[in-house]
Amino acid sequence: MSLALSICLAFLFSLCHGSHSLPALRTPHLDAPLPNGNFEQVPNKSNMRKRQIIGKYSLPHWEISGHVELVSGGPQPGGFYFAVPRGVHAARLGNLASISQYVKVKRGLVYSITFGVTRTCAQDENIRISVPGQTNELPIQTLFSTNGGDTYAWAFKATSDLVKVTFHNPGVQEDPSCGPLVDAVAIKEILPLRYTKGNLVKNGGFEIGPHVFNYFSTGILIPAKIQDLISPLPGWIVESLKPVKYIDNHHFKVPSGLAAVELVAGRESAIAQIIRTVAGRNYILSFAIGDAHNGCHGSMMVEAFAGKSAFKLRFESNGKGAFKAGRFGFRADSNRTRITFYSGFYHTKLHDFGHLCGPVLDNVRVVLAR
């Protein structure tokens, strides 16, 4: 009897005192490469015509349409070079060609697709990625990484428990085989955001973001809002012409935690968030900047805005992973305040002037001034 009474009292105590605490964040139920997302499972030789894949279902786990080639990385005939850093093979989408795959998800949740893509012929190549009811076309003219092609992330909200993810080349070139090179496709569930106690900024440490490949990463480009209405970096808006780069602590140096953002395109690469404030109250904005230990060097400056207030934080980089923190006060003039960050200068790597880079931003906090 006493044991039963103790159990009942413990249950009532947990209801009364546990209802105000937030449950622990769960891990994403889906965070992995797609089946044959690296295209290393190749078609039968009977389904190949030189490099072109013949047959709608000849590429394992994928459905193809139009002129799709299975190519190998490295030097190519005609002086081209195909960057395939995460394996041997990739899919090349010719004129109006596409590849697609069905993926099991959970209705109503947000997912991010991480994929490697680079242009192979024309300067104006685009890649269109879609799921039913949502589509986006990304320009891939600018090459941000010269050591293995670029990696992008694109997010969507699932409207059913089974979605068809499609990559499509919308362009038409004189050479029908010309088109973007797709490699290393992965998916990740994006967990709902929560405020950190005392910090008005959501995801200020950039800990929640897209899938990051373990074996090779040049960083993941987060498209501008005009190309991606649902951000794969939750809480943040990329409100510039160019993307920002999401970097992890396994492949780069970040000021703190698991990840950070690199502002890779000067004033064309800006990131923002709208936070809740109280008009007339004073707040403190703090953040850290540095370099990713990737050879990015020179006099760096991050310009920050909180409403109508502007701040500048300078940093002299030697490309060795150092960082510094800044702290600024501002007065809110409304109940919503936009905080914005961008790099004041353009930067390239010390020994690779074709590789765009920039200052790293991390640990963004806004607290009420006491």
Side-chain angles (χ1 to χ4, degrees):
M1 180 68 180
S2 60
L3 177 60
L5 181 61
S6 299
I7 293 173
C8 291
L9 289 173
F11 177 73
L12 289 172
F13 182 84
S14 66
L15 286 178
C16 294
H17 294 271
S19 60
H20 298 287
S21 61
L22 292 173
L25 279 175
R26 61 183 175 82
T27 56
H29 84 277
L30 188 58
D31 184 8
L34 291 186
N36 199 24
N38 57 5
F39 304 101
E40 297 306 315
Q41 298 178 42
V42 301
N44 295 327
K45 290 184 178 180
S46 59
N47 295 323
M48 297 292 296
R49 183 183 299 153
K50 294 184 178 180
R51 296 193 303 194
Q52 183 181 359
I53 304 173
I54 307 301
K56 187 176 182 178
Y57 302 104
S58 297
L59 181 61
H61 297 283
W62 292 92
E63 177 183 317
I64 72 171
S65 174
H67 188 108
V68 178
E69 294 184 346
L70 184 73
V71 301
S72 300
Q76 306 294 319
F80 292 104
Y81 182 90
F82 291 164
V84 185
R86 301 180 183 91
V88 178
H89 299 104
R92 188 188 191 193
L93 310 183
N95 287 346
L96 303 176
S98 63
I99 57 173
S100 55
Q101 182 175 144
Y102 284 95
V103 183
K104 291 182 178 180
V105 293
K106 292 183 179 179
R107 184 198 305 266
L109 299 185
V110 174
Y111 294 86
S112 174
I113 301 290
T114 302
F115 58 98
V117 64
T118 187
R119 58 182 175 87
T120 60
C121 295
Q123 291 288 339
D124 59 348
E125 287 182 13
N126 293 344
I127 182 76
R128 184 179 297 163
I129 178 171
S130 63
V131 297
Q134 299 168 67
T135 185
N136 193 11
E137 193 167 313
L138 298 177
I140 54 175
Q141 297 96 325
T142 302
L143 188 64
F144 290 88
S145 305
T146 58
N147 60 343
D150 289 328
T151 305
Y152 284 84
W154 177 75
F156 67 94
K157 187 173 183 178
T159 57
S160 65
D161 293 332
L162 185 67
V163 297
K164 185 178 184 180
V165 178
T166 301
F167 295 91
H168 175 68
N169 173 20
V172 176
Q173 305 293 335
E174 184 177 349
D175 182 350
S177 67
C178 272
L181 202 69
V182 179
D183 186 31
V185 185
I187 188 170
K188 180 182 179 180
E189 177 199 346
I190 301 296
L191 296 174
L193 287 181
R194 302 184 180 202
Y195 284 109
T196 302
K197 186 177 181 180
N199 186 10
L200 298 177
V201 180
K202 286 186 175 182
N203 201 18
F206 306 102
E207 301 298 279
I208 300 177
H211 177 89
V212 177
F213 297 108
N214 291 325
Y215 38 94
F216 181 87
S217 178
T218 58
I220 301 170
L221 295 168
I222 309 297
K225 185 182 178 182
I226 56 173
Q227 278 112 23
D228 199 354
L229 296 178
I230 302 175
S231 176
L233 187 59
W236 292 95
I237 308 165
V238 181
E239 55 178 16
S240 50
L241 296 176
K242 301 294 184 182
V244 300
K245 183 175 284 189
Y246 185 75
I247 60 175
D248 67 296
N249 66 353
H250 181 64
H251 300 94
F252 301 89
K253 185 70 178 291
V254 301
S256 64
L258 300 175
V261 162
E262 186 180 12
L263 306 174
V264 292
R267 292 175 178 265
E268 298 178 86
S269 186
I271 189 168
Q273 184 172 145
I274 300 173
I275 62 173
R276 293 182 177 183
T277 52
V278 177
R281 301 294 296 270
N282 293 321
Y283 296 86
I284 300 295
L285 167 65
S286 62
F287 55 94
I289 68 169
D291 68 81
H293 199 192
N294 58 353
C296 199
H297 70 294
S299 297
M300 296 182 174
M301 180 177 68
V302 170
E303 298 191 40
F305 297 85
K308 297 178 181 179
S309 302
F311 318 102
K312 295 180 180 180
L313 184 59
R314 299 180 182 273
F315 173 72
E316 195 67 33
S317 171
N318 295 315
K320 297 183 179 180
F323 68 93
K324 69 182 292 187
R327 180 182 171 91
F328 307 93
F330 71 93
R331 180 184 289 267
D333 55 10
S334 72
N335 293 331
R336 295 288 188 274
T337 300
R338 180 185 294 268
I339 56 173
T340 306
F341 303 88
Y342 64 79
S343 172
F345 309 119
Y346 293 84
H347 299 274
T348 59
K349 284 189 174 183
L350 181 61
H351 301 295
D352 187 353
F353 296 115
H355 192 127
L356 295 174
C357 62
V360 171
L361 174 69
D362 198 8
N363 200 25
V364 181
R365 293 178 57 84
V366 172
V367 298
L368 186 64
R370 300 294 183 184

